[in-house]
Amino acid sequence: MSDLISILQKPITIEKNASLSHAISELLKNKISRLIVTENGSSVGIITEKDVGLFLLEDDSEKNLDEIPISQIMNILTSVNESMSVEKCVEIMLEKEIGSLGVTSSQKGLIGIITKTDIARYYIQNYANKHTVGDVMTISYVSLDYETSLRHVVSEMIEQKISRIFLKNQDNEPQGIMTFRDLFHVALEQGNTDAVLDSSDPAISVVFTRKGFLSDSGFGNTIKAKDVMTSNFESVDFNEDLTVACEEMIQNKINGVGVRINGKLGGVVSKTDILKAIYIDNRSK
């Protein structure tokens, strides 16, 4: 059995004619970051947490989420043969900037999918004691005041092209983190209603039609980041072996963890950094 066969997973699927609301519900329910899109039993594409997140962040329509088909958002699924090495798969994922690959067999077609999570498990089994967290972490990270409006946080995520942002109080102390999954919960709560109540001014309540996160009058401007953020986020010390970060991400079903330097938040390490560590090791061989 090849290493690739041993780590692939059976994908969770969704029909091409399903709504965006249903796709978000499936991602949240299963705590996963992608769904294989099928039509008449055959795979026709993929929809990822990132695809949905970026669409929601930029959407300013008045359609509710049940009216938006996933066919409007899905992308082509990149696939590899079952005989390919895991290391070559890592190279392809980094080159194409994607988080998963379909795995095909000449006899059976699509037989599974590998994701960055599967690569993280592979790293634990095959690359222990190769790198510390500090070797591959990203030192810079984006943060905002947790009193900031959700709209401003979303705008920053779009501008910086990031899927997570740390939130701090006035004393510059980390209070939480905002990710696409936090935004998905807001989208499901607010995005299928015909109107949104703005009670930001205690003297008056105004009802607006839904216009997404970025609208001047939509729910993104009336909700504060602190009301949506995840208050507790995982972190590891920069001196620890990278496998420790892998285990934290796998156990908590998250894509990145904070990195502590001398007890303070000093950066972030993600599953993409784990792929880069594998790539660096094999490029030097």
Side-chain angles (χ1 to χ4, degrees):
M1 179 186 295
S2 70
D3 288 337
L4 188 56
I5 292 293
S6 69
I7 68 171
L8 66 78
Q9 304 290 325
K10 183 178 180 181
I12 297 177
T13 63
I14 189 169
E15 282 293 317
K16 184 180 178 181
N17 60 3
S19 69
L20 180 55
S21 177
H22 181 53
I24 293 173
S25 295
E26 287 296 299
L27 290 169
L28 290 174
K29 180 181 72 176
N30 294 288
K31 293 184 177 180
I32 55 176
S33 56
R34 66 208 68 244
L35 296 162
I36 296 296
V37 182
T38 59
E39 186 174 33
N40 300 322
S42 298
S43 62
V44 294
I46 186 170
I47 185 167
T48 70
E49 186 178 75
K50 184 176 182 180
D51 297 328
V52 175
L54 291 176
F55 176 85
L56 287 175
L57 299 191
E58 296 177 318
D59 174 44
D60 61 357
S61 73
E62 295 184 17
K63 289 183 178 179
N64 68 48
L65 301 184
D66 279 329
E67 297 175 323
I68 302 172
I70 61 171
S71 57
Q72 184 178 335
I73 306 166
M74 73 179 199
N75 285 301
I76 296 172
L77 174 65
T78 300
S79 297
V80 297
N81 186 270
E82 60 184 328
S83 61
M84 183 170 288
S85 70
V86 174
E87 285 72 18
K88 182 61 179 177
C89 291
V90 166
E91 188 177 336
I92 292 172
M93 291 166 77
L94 288 173
E95 179 184 341
K96 293 183 175 292
E97 298 183 345
I98 54 178
S100 59
L101 290 168
V103 181
T104 61
S105 162
S106 55
Q107 290 82 25
K108 300 178 182 179
L110 185 70
I111 58 174
I113 187 172
I114 63 163
T115 68
K116 290 179 182 178
T117 301
D118 303 313
I119 302 295
R121 293 193 183 97
Y122 181 79
Y123 184 94
I124 292 172
Q125 296 169 359
N126 297 275
Y127 289 85
N129 302 314
K130 293 274 190 178
H131 297 278
T132 66
V133 171
D135 290 337
V136 299
M137 65 177 278
T138 301
I139 295 177
S140 62
Y141 64 92
V142 180
S143 65
L144 287 174
D145 191 298
Y146 75 156
E147 294 280 355
T148 302
S149 72
L150 185 57
R151 179 191 182 204
H152 183 63
V153 174
V154 166
S155 297
E156 192 71 15
M157 292 172 77
I158 294 172
E159 182 178 344
Q160 300 288 339
K161 296 181 179 179
I162 53 176
S163 58
R164 70 184 65 84
I165 194 164
F166 290 94
L167 298 164
K168 298 182 176 183
N169 62 18
Q170 292 181 340
D171 296 322
N172 205 36
E173 298 168 334
Q175 299 297 302
I177 188 171
M178 180 87 68
T179 67
F180 282 155
R181 289 183 189 175
D182 298 311
L183 299 178
F184 290 170
H185 285 290
V186 181
L188 283 183
E189 292 169 3
Q190 304 282 353
N192 282 327
T193 59
D194 293 327
V196 177
L197 180 65
D198 177 7
S199 299
S200 55
D201 184 343
I204 186 171
S205 293
V206 182
V207 174
F208 295 107
T209 54
R210 190 195 80 84
K211 292 184 179 179
F213 289 97
L214 296 181
S215 168
D216 288 330
S217 58
F219 55 79
N221 213 37
T222 63
I223 299 174
K224 290 186 177 181
K226 68 178 183 180
D227 298 324
V228 179
M229 70 181 188
T230 298
S231 297
N232 299 315
F233 58 88
E234 305 301 322
S235 64
V236 295
D237 192 84
F238 81 109
N239 280 322
E240 291 186 287
D241 190 79
L242 187 55
T243 56
V244 175
C246 291
E247 289 166 351
E248 286 291 334
M249 286 184 265
I250 292 169
Q251 181 179 346
N252 292 286
K253 295 187 176 182
I254 53 179
N255 293 317
V257 294
V259 179
R260 299 186 302 271
I261 301 177
N262 298 324
K264 295 184 178 181
L265 182 66
V268 64
V269 64
S270 69
K271 289 176 182 173
T272 299
D273 295 318
I274 296 166
L275 268 64
K276 290 177 180 177
I278 294 175
Y279 176 74
I280 291 169
D281 278 347
N282 286 275
R283 185 180 58 179
S284 60
K285 289 181 180 179

